[in-house]
Amino acid sequence: LLGRPNVGKSSLMNRFLGPGEQRSIVSDVAGTTRDAVDAELDVDGAIFRFVDTAGVRRKARVKDGTETQMVGRALKAAKLADVVLLVVDATAEITDQDAMLAQRIADDGRACVVLANKWDIYEDKNEGSTREVLKVLRETLTAVSWAEVVFCSAETGQRCLKVYDAVKRARESHHHRVSTATLNEVVRDAMLWQPPPATAAGKNAGKVYFVSQTAVAPPTFVCMCNDPKAFPKNYRRFLERKLRESMPFTGTPVRFVFRARRQREAERDGRKRSR
């Protein structure tokens, strides 16, 4: 569980563990959790190990070496996690610090579920306000816009049971593999729908010879192409979006790596992979 101070990480930790289990100290005073605290839980035969971490403030507000170590251990725990539960306060404004933590999760290649905590005390809850809060979360936490959002309450337990299934889905997506044939079909259709941009002279238009998945956690796809520079960031985001529309990658970042390859070599390797 990762987030700013006083968003309810320790309360959620205790809620997940069930009645009578108080592994984390809960207080209105920021900074109560000083170190990462972990505990295991068996949920229908699936073993979850929850790790409560210290609240992460802005670097400029960290005054002493003790807090620096606390923040370092929190970020290290998140980097080692299968799934990071990014906890935000649903009743407060989503801050730049929330967005920074989201970016850190994405940069580390971790799966993620966003927990909008304190939903029980959110005023004027209805379908419209829920959609509005969800829109704000997507727009602010852009680095993890692919993450599932669970509106929950550590105080009442509202929707906390939904977190277990969300974590399972995120982890499955994080380890999902796609066949080479399916992957190439999706990328080819996307490029037919919207070709890569060409230069003013019409040269160096991007060509992808073949695509293969080289890793999971996070899913990583290598595109052998004529020129990596012909695929700007906005076009790579387009390919990622089309991939997500076709594949179950909710809850995980995906990475595209473009490598130059001579056409003859690319076609030869493509034939080998298709056998």
Side-chain angles (χ1 to χ4, degrees), residues 10-213:
S10 297
S11 297
L12 282 168
M13 173 82 158
N14 291 333
R15 173 63 65 177
F16 292 144
L17 296 180
E21 293 287 343
Q22 298 291 316
R23 292 298 300 273
S24 294
I25 299 174
V26 177
S27 171
D28 292 334
V29 179
T32 303
T33 302
R34 310 287 289 182
D35 203 351
V37 178
D38 68 285
E40 285 191 356
L41 180 66
D42 188 328
V43 181
D44 298 328
I47 304 299
F48 291 78
R49 175 177 290 172
F50 289 100
V51 182
D52 185 19
T53 64
V56 181
R57 298 196 297 170
R58 291 183 180 180
K59 185 180 295 186
R61 295 184 179 179
V62 177
K63 302 298 183 182
D64 56 56
T66 301
E67 187 173 358
T68 299
Q69 293 177 8
M70 290 162 46
V71 170
R73 286 193 289 266
L75 296 177
K76 182 179 180 180
K79 189 173 184 178
L80 296 175
D82 289 312
V83 181
V84 178
L85 299 177
L86 178 59
V87 184
V88 299
D89 186 343
T91 66
E93 181 182 359
I94 306 302
T95 68
D96 291 342
Q97 181 67 1
D98 294 314
M100 185 281 291
L101 292 175
Q103 187 64 59
R104 184 67 178 255
I105 293 168
D107 291 344
D108 288 342
R110 298 300 86 197
C112 179
V113 176
V114 176
L115 303 187
N117 190 30
K118 306 183 184 181
W119 191 239
D120 58 310
I121 59 175
Y122 186 89
E123 296 181 356
D124 300 323
K125 285 194 296 288
N126 55 54
E127 188 175 341
S129 63
T130 302
R131 285 199 301 267
E132 184 62 29
V133 173
L134 182 60
K135 179 182 177 183
V136 171
L137 287 171
R138 298 288 190 207
E139 291 176 349
T140 308
L141 307 177
T142 53
V144 294
S145 59
W146 35 260
E148 188 172 346
V149 178
V150 179
F151 294 91
C152 62
S153 168
E155 181 68 24
T156 66
Q158 179 185 13
R159 295 196 177 99
C160 283
L161 291 177
K162 294 182 179 293
V163 174
Y164 303 120
D165 288 335
V167 168
K168 288 181 179 179
R169 286 190 290 269
R171 187 184 184 281
E172 289 171 359
S173 296
H174 204 217
H175 291 264
H176 184 66
R177 281 194 175 274
V178 183
S179 71
T180 301
T182 301
L183 184 59
N184 280 270
E185 181 179 355
V186 170
V187 173
R188 182 181 67 251
D189 290 347
M191 294 183 67
L192 288 173
W193 178 262
Q194 181 176 321
T199 62
K203 297 180 180 179
N204 297 327
K207 295 180 181 179
V208 172
Y209 302 125
F210 69 90
V211 188
S212 61
Q213 183 173 357

